[in-house]
Amino acid sequence: MFITFEGPEGSGKTTQFTRTVAALQAAGHDVLATREPGGTPIGEQIRSVLLDRPENTTMTPEAEALLFSAARAQHVRERIRPALAAGKIVLCDRFADSTLAYQGYGHGLDLEALRRITAFATGGLTPDITIYLDCPPEIGLRRKANQAEWNRLDGMALDFHRRVYGGFLALMADSPTRWVRIDATRPADDVFAQIAAALQARGLALG
Ligand code: TYD
Protein backbone atom coordinates (compact mmCIF):
# COMPACT_ATOMS: atom_id res chain seq x y z
CA MET A 1 0.00 0.00 0.00
CA PHE A 2 1.45 3.33 -1.10
CA ILE A 3 -0.07 6.40 0.59
CA THR A 4 0.91 9.98 -0.21
CA PHE A 5 0.11 13.22 1.59
CA GLU A 6 -0.37 16.37 -0.45
CA GLY A 7 -1.44 19.90 0.28
CA PRO A 8 -0.53 23.54 -0.17
CA GLU A 9 1.76 25.46 2.18
CA GLY A 10 0.68 25.71 5.80
CA SER A 11 -1.94 22.97 5.58
CA GLY A 12 -0.45 21.22 8.62
CA LYS A 13 0.45 18.31 6.37
CA THR A 14 3.71 17.33 8.01
CA THR A 15 2.20 17.32 11.53
CA GLN A 16 -0.65 15.11 10.36
CA PHE A 17 1.73 12.90 8.41
CA THR A 18 3.84 12.25 11.53
CA ARG A 19 0.76 11.51 13.59
CA THR A 20 -0.61 9.09 10.99
CA VAL A 21 2.70 7.23 10.80
CA ALA A 22 2.72 6.84 14.59
CA ALA A 23 -0.89 5.62 14.65
CA LEU A 24 -0.24 3.03 11.93
CA GLN A 25 2.88 1.80 13.73
CA ALA A 26 0.96 1.62 17.02
CA ALA A 27 -1.52 -0.68 15.26
CA GLY A 28 1.38 -2.99 14.36
CA HIS A 29 1.84 -2.07 10.68
CA ASP A 30 5.31 -2.16 9.17
CA VAL A 31 5.66 1.40 7.85
CA LEU A 32 8.23 3.26 5.77
CA ALA A 33 7.79 7.00 6.33
CA THR A 34 9.57 9.17 3.81
CA ARG A 35 9.34 12.53 2.06
CA GLU A 36 9.94 14.40 -1.18
CA PRO A 37 12.07 16.00 -2.28
CA GLY A 38 14.49 13.75 -0.42
CA GLY A 39 14.20 10.30 1.10
CA THR A 40 17.65 9.17 -0.07
CA PRO A 41 21.15 10.65 0.37
CA ILE A 42 21.17 11.79 -3.29
CA GLY A 43 17.61 13.09 -2.99
CA GLU A 44 18.48 15.08 0.15
CA GLN A 45 21.38 16.73 -1.71
CA ILE A 46 19.01 17.66 -4.54
CA ARG A 47 16.52 18.95 -1.94
CA SER A 48 19.11 21.35 -0.63
CA VAL A 49 19.71 22.77 -4.14
CA LEU A 50 15.96 23.10 -4.67
CA LEU A 51 14.81 24.56 -1.38
CA ASP A 52 17.44 25.70 1.08
CA ARG A 53 19.41 28.25 -0.88
CA PRO A 54 18.01 31.76 -1.21
CA GLU A 55 20.66 32.49 -3.90
CA ASN A 56 18.99 29.98 -6.26
CA THR A 57 16.29 32.46 -7.28
CA THR A 58 17.46 32.20 -10.91
CA MET A 59 16.49 28.50 -11.15
CA THR A 60 14.21 28.03 -14.15
CA PRO A 61 10.91 26.17 -13.73
CA GLU A 62 12.16 23.53 -16.19
CA ALA A 63 15.32 22.90 -14.15
CA GLU A 64 13.19 22.82 -11.00
CA ALA A 65 10.82 20.21 -12.47
CA LEU A 66 13.72 18.02 -13.59
CA LEU A 67 15.49 18.24 -10.22
CA PHE A 68 12.33 17.27 -8.30
CA SER A 69 11.92 14.42 -10.79
CA ALA A 70 15.55 13.31 -10.51
CA ALA A 71 15.21 13.09 -6.73
CA ARG A 72 11.99 11.11 -7.24
CA ALA A 73 13.58 8.65 -9.69
CA GLN A 74 16.22 7.82 -7.08
CA HIS A 75 13.66 7.64 -4.28
CA VAL A 76 11.30 5.25 -6.08
CA ARG A 77 14.04 2.78 -6.96
CA GLU A 78 16.21 3.03 -3.85
CA ARG A 79 13.53 3.11 -1.17
CA ILE A 80 9.86 3.06 -2.17
CA ARG A 81 9.75 0.05 -4.52
CA PRO A 82 11.90 -2.15 -2.24
CA ALA A 83 9.74 -1.27 0.78
CA LEU A 84 6.53 -2.07 -1.11
CA ALA A 85 8.06 -5.34 -2.30
CA ALA A 86 8.85 -6.18 1.35
CA GLY A 87 5.17 -5.72 2.19
CA LYS A 88 5.51 -2.41 4.03
CA ILE A 89 2.98 0.39 4.02
CA VAL A 90 4.83 3.34 2.47
CA LEU A 91 3.77 6.84 3.51
CA CYS A 92 5.31 9.68 1.54
CA ASP A 93 5.06 13.38 2.43
CA ARG A 94 4.50 14.79 -1.10
CA PHE A 95 5.02 12.91 -4.38
CA ALA A 96 4.47 13.39 -8.11
CA ASP A 97 1.21 15.33 -7.70
CA SER A 98 3.27 18.15 -6.19
CA THR A 99 5.23 18.45 -9.44
CA LEU A 100 2.01 18.79 -11.42
CA ALA A 101 0.54 21.27 -8.92
CA TYR A 102 3.64 23.46 -8.34
CA GLN A 103 5.64 23.25 -11.55
CA GLY A 104 2.61 22.62 -13.80
CA TYR A 105 -0.25 24.71 -12.48
CA GLY A 106 1.95 27.05 -10.38
CA HIS A 107 4.71 27.87 -12.89
CA GLY A 108 2.62 27.12 -15.97
CA LEU A 109 4.79 24.34 -17.44
CA ASP A 110 3.15 22.07 -19.98
CA LEU A 111 1.17 19.45 -18.07
CA GLU A 112 1.50 16.72 -20.68
CA ALA A 113 5.30 17.11 -20.74
CA LEU A 114 5.34 16.96 -16.94
CA ARG A 115 3.18 13.84 -16.93
CA ARG A 116 5.65 12.11 -19.26
CA ILE A 117 8.65 13.22 -17.17
CA THR A 118 6.86 12.08 -14.02
CA ALA A 119 5.98 8.69 -15.50
CA PHE A 120 9.64 8.25 -16.49
CA ALA A 121 10.82 9.24 -13.00
CA THR A 122 8.37 6.98 -11.15
CA GLY A 123 8.49 4.09 -13.61
CA GLY A 124 4.71 4.30 -13.56
CA LEU A 125 4.31 3.99 -9.78
CA THR A 126 1.20 5.83 -8.56
CA PRO A 127 -0.16 6.08 -5.02
CA ASP A 128 -3.04 3.87 -3.89
CA ILE A 129 -4.38 6.67 -1.68
CA THR A 130 -3.58 10.38 -1.63
CA ILE A 131 -4.57 12.25 1.51
CA TYR A 132 -5.16 15.86 0.45
CA LEU A 133 -5.07 18.46 3.20
CA ASP A 134 -7.28 21.16 1.80
CA CYS A 135 -6.45 24.63 3.05
CA PRO A 136 -6.79 27.84 0.98
CA PRO A 137 -3.48 29.65 0.45
CA GLU A 138 -4.63 32.78 2.27
CA ILE A 139 -4.99 30.74 5.48
CA GLY A 140 -1.97 28.50 4.87
CA LEU A 141 0.50 31.29 4.19
CA ARG A 142 -0.69 33.16 7.28
CA ARG A 143 -0.02 30.03 9.35
CA LYS A 144 3.41 29.59 7.77
CA ALA A 145 4.39 33.20 8.42
CA ASN A 146 4.31 32.31 12.12
CA GLN A 147 6.67 29.36 11.72
CA ALA A 148 10.45 29.29 11.66
CA GLU A 149 10.90 26.94 8.68
CA TRP A 150 11.19 28.52 5.29
CA ASN A 151 11.81 27.16 1.83
CA ARG A 152 12.49 28.94 -1.45
CA LEU A 153 9.00 28.23 -2.83
CA ASP A 154 7.29 29.69 0.25
CA GLY A 155 8.67 33.02 -0.97
CA MET A 156 6.60 32.91 -4.18
CA ALA A 157 3.76 35.41 -4.56
CA LEU A 158 0.22 34.67 -3.40
CA ASP A 159 -0.89 34.32 -7.05
CA PHE A 160 1.50 31.39 -7.48
CA HIS A 161 0.07 29.67 -4.39
CA ARG A 162 -3.49 30.30 -5.64
CA ARG A 163 -2.63 28.55 -8.92
CA VAL A 164 -1.07 25.64 -7.00
CA TYR A 165 -4.22 25.38 -4.90
CA GLY A 166 -6.44 25.36 -8.00
CA GLY A 167 -4.10 22.75 -9.49
CA PHE A 168 -4.57 20.38 -6.58
CA LEU A 169 -8.35 20.70 -6.94
CA ALA A 170 -8.11 19.93 -10.67
CA LEU A 171 -5.87 16.90 -10.04
CA MET A 172 -8.31 15.64 -7.42
CA ALA A 173 -11.20 16.00 -9.87
CA ASP A 174 -9.21 13.91 -12.42
CA SER A 175 -8.81 10.88 -10.10
CA PRO A 176 -11.55 11.18 -7.46
CA THR A 177 -11.23 7.61 -6.18
CA ARG A 178 -7.54 7.95 -5.31
CA TRP A 179 -7.81 11.31 -3.53
CA VAL A 180 -9.30 11.83 -0.08
CA ARG A 181 -10.10 15.47 0.62
CA ILE A 182 -9.56 16.47 4.24
CA ASP A 183 -10.73 19.85 5.55
CA ALA A 184 -7.44 21.14 6.96
CA THR A 185 -8.86 24.45 8.16
CA ARG A 186 -10.34 22.54 11.15
CA PRO A 187 -8.49 22.10 14.49
CA ALA A 188 -5.65 19.54 14.35
CA ASP A 189 -7.48 16.78 16.29
CA ASP A 190 -10.45 17.04 13.98
CA VAL A 191 -8.18 16.90 10.90
CA PHE A 192 -6.54 13.75 12.25
CA ALA A 193 -9.95 12.17 12.95
CA GLN A 194 -10.88 12.73 9.29
CA ILE A 195 -7.65 11.05 8.12
CA ALA A 196 -8.10 8.11 10.51
CA ALA A 197 -11.70 7.59 9.34
CA ALA A 198 -10.62 7.65 5.68
CA LEU A 199 -7.87 5.06 6.25
CA GLN A 200 -10.14 2.87 8.37
CA ALA A 201 -12.73 2.98 5.61
CA ARG A 202 -10.01 1.51 3.34
CA GLY A 203 -9.31 -1.31 5.73
CA LEU A 204 -6.31 0.13 7.62
CA ALA A 205 -6.46 -0.10 11.41
CA LEU A 206 -4.91 2.74 13.44
CA GLY A 207 -3.68 2.52 17.03
P1 TYD B 1 8.83 21.28 2.58
O1 TYD B 1 9.75 22.14 3.36
O2 TYD B 1 9.00 19.80 2.62
O3 TYD B 1 7.42 21.72 3.03
P2 TYD B 1 5.96 21.21 2.93
O4 TYD B 1 5.56 21.06 4.36
O5 TYD B 1 5.24 22.31 2.22
O6 TYD B 1 5.92 19.90 2.16
O7 TYD B 1 8.87 21.81 1.09
C1 TYD B 1 8.66 21.13 -0.04
C2 TYD B 1 8.45 22.23 -1.08
O8 TYD B 1 8.74 21.73 -2.38
C3 TYD B 1 7.05 22.75 -1.09
O9 TYD B 1 7.09 24.15 -1.28
C4 TYD B 1 6.45 22.09 -2.32
C5 TYD B 1 7.62 21.95 -3.22
N1 TYD B 1 7.56 20.85 -4.20
C6 TYD B 1 7.44 21.14 -5.55
O10 TYD B 1 7.35 22.31 -5.92
N2 TYD B 1 7.43 20.11 -6.45
C7 TYD B 1 7.55 18.81 -6.08
O11 TYD B 1 7.54 17.89 -6.93
C8 TYD B 1 7.68 18.53 -4.67
C9 TYD B 1 7.83 17.10 -4.20
C10 TYD B 1 7.68 19.57 -3.77
Side-chain angles (χ1 to χ4, degrees), residues 25-79:
Q25 284 170 334
H29 296 290
D30 193 359
V31 175
L32 168 70
T34 186
R35 70 164 179 183
E36 291 208 343
T40 65
I42 289 171
E44 292 294 330
Q45 292 171 57
I46 297 174
R47 178 185 177 90
S48 160
V49 173
L50 277 163
L51 298 177
D52 299 343
R53 304 192 189 180
E55 74 272 20
N56 283 354
T57 48
T58 55
M59 188 182 294
T60 67
E62 291 81 358
E64 196 178 280
L66 290 168
L67 285 169
F68 278 116
S69 300
R72 181 165 306 128
Q74 189 70 27
H75 194 201
V76 165
R77 287 160 187 83
E78 187 178 329
R79 289 201 79 197

Side-chain angles (χ1 to χ4, degrees), residues 8-9 13-14 35-37 47 51 64 68 72 93-96 98-99 102-103 144 151 153-154:
E9 314 298 323
K13 175 173 55 59
T14 300
R35 70 164 179 183
E36 291 208 343
R47 178 185 177 90
L51 298 177
E64 196 178 280
F68 278 116
R72 181 165 306 128
D93 188 346
R94 294 198 187 279
F95 193 62
S98 279
T99 297
Y102 282 79
Q103 283 66 53
K144 266 221 139 164
N151 77 57
L153 291 169
D154 291 341

Side-chain angles (χ1 to χ4, degrees), residues 148-166:
E149 324 106 57
W150 178 91
N151 77 57
R152 194 172 52 80
L153 291 169
D154 291 341
M156 296 290 290
L158 179 59
D159 268 5
F160 173 82
H161 291 288
R162 286 212 179 103
R163 289 195 298 276
V164 170
Y165 181 69

Side-chain angles (χ1 to χ4, degrees), residues 104-120:
Y105 288 90
H107 286 313
L109 292 184
D110 181 66
L111 285 173
E112 277 321 303
L114 285 180
R115 283 188 211 279
R116 283 197 300 277
I117 290 165
T118 295
F120 180 70

